[in-house]
Amino acid sequence: GAGVSQTPSNKVTEKGKYVELRCDPISGHTALYWYRQSLGQGPEFLIYFQGTGAADDSGLPNDRFFAVRPEGSVSTLKIQRTERGDSAVYLCASSAGTNNEQFFGPGTRLTVL
Amino acid sequence: QKEVEQNSGPLSVPEGAIASLNCTYSDRGSQSFFWYRQYSGKSPELIMFIYSNGDKEDGRFTAQLNKASQYVSLLIRDSQPSDSATYLCAVNSNAGNMLTFGGGTRLMVKP
């Protein structure tokens, strides 16, 4: 079956602009996670959704970052007033919740110039 | 101190040998442990997970967990050049559902 999909695969923006990154989880997976990964490091947790609600947003670095999942499926990560330090690969993962096995999408590489 | 630690490598092994990848974690409340493989420029791919102390085997891969020592490892038998990648250890603590990742160990399998 189809895996996790993310769009766009690459996004280049200018400092100060607003960006939206989209994630479409595996069908039927109720849990959805956003992580970001900088070069040479492991992924870092940002936010976790169970259904439509954000169950844990403790990893969001500041209030410029926000994410929604209005219908319990597709999620959008929104970053306002982007900064060069936001440049990273943003990864989305979904889980059926049974054993918390998380399956990752291909990621969105965000570059802030 | 990082919550999940891995030697960054590179770990170089000859083709056909056993590759041993190690990971330590600091949260004693950690419940479950995952190994992911990440090829350069790609996203992490789940290889195995383990919850109980001891060994868990899946094909050429064996995960080992020792909660008393806060140590988890991954053994890859009969290593192949296609196994060359970065291996990420991830831990799910009692505190929530998110995974905390180590920095990864780069494995190189030489023909």
Side-chain angles (χ1 to χ4, degrees), chain B residues 5-23:
Chain B
E5 297 216 36
Q6 297 180 255
N7 188 318
S8 62
L11 172 66
S12 183
V13 300
E15 184 174 356
I18 296 175
S20 177
L21 303 158
N22 305 314
C23 172

Side-chain angles (χ1 to χ4, degrees), chain A residues 18-23 32-35 46-49 51-57 60-70 74-80 90 92:
Chain A
Y18 167 83
V19 297
E20 289 189 351
L21 312 178
R22 176 189 164 109
C23 171
L32 185 147
Y33 304 79
W34 284 98
Y35 295 83
L46 296 176
I47 186 169
Y48 152 55
F49 288 89
T52 60
D56 185 346
D57 64 358
L60 295 177
N62 51 60
D63 61 5
R64 295 186 299 104
F65 289 75
F66 188 70
V68 295
R69 194 186 186 198
V74 171
S75 176
T76 305
L77 178 65
K78 309 180 181 195
I79 310 175
Q80 298 178 320
Y90 288 80
C92 176

Side-chain angles (χ1 to χ4, degrees), chain B residues 4-82:
Chain B
V4 180
E5 297 216 36
Q6 297 180 255
N7 188 318
S8 62
L11 172 66
S12 183
V13 300
E15 184 174 356
I18 296 175
S20 177
L21 303 158
N22 305 314
C23 172
T24 58
Y25 59 95
S26 59
D27 183 357
R28 275 200 180 275
S30 297
Q31 298 287 310
S32 49
F33 307 85
F34 302 82
W35 283 99
Y36 285 83
R37 177 175 63 198
Q38 187 171 29
Y39 292 113
S40 182
K42 302 295 185 182
S43 62
E45 173 192 5
L46 181 64
I47 300 175
M48 291 190 70
F49 63 91
I50 187 167
Y51 298 97
S52 304
N53 277 327
D55 294 1
K56 179 181 178 183
E57 187 174 318
D58 184 0
R60 295 188 296 114
F61 299 98
T62 299
Q64 299 175 318
L65 175 61
N66 184 326
K67 288 187 178 181
S69 299
Q70 295 174 245
Y71 178 92
V72 58
S73 65
L74 179 70
L75 302 178
I76 307 174
R77 286 181 299 283
D78 187 24
S79 296
Q80 301 297 308
S82 58

Side-chain angles (χ1 to χ4, degrees), chain A residues 16-46:
Chain A
K17 299 290 188 183
Y18 167 83
V19 297
E20 289 189 351
L21 312 178
R22 176 189 164 109
C23 171
D24 201 340
I26 293 171
S27 178
H29 280 194
T30 57
L32 185 147
Y33 304 79
W34 284 98
Y35 295 83
R36 74 175 174 181
Q37 186 174 26
S38 299
L39 194 62
Q41 298 180 22
E44 292 181 306
F45 168 74
L46 296 176

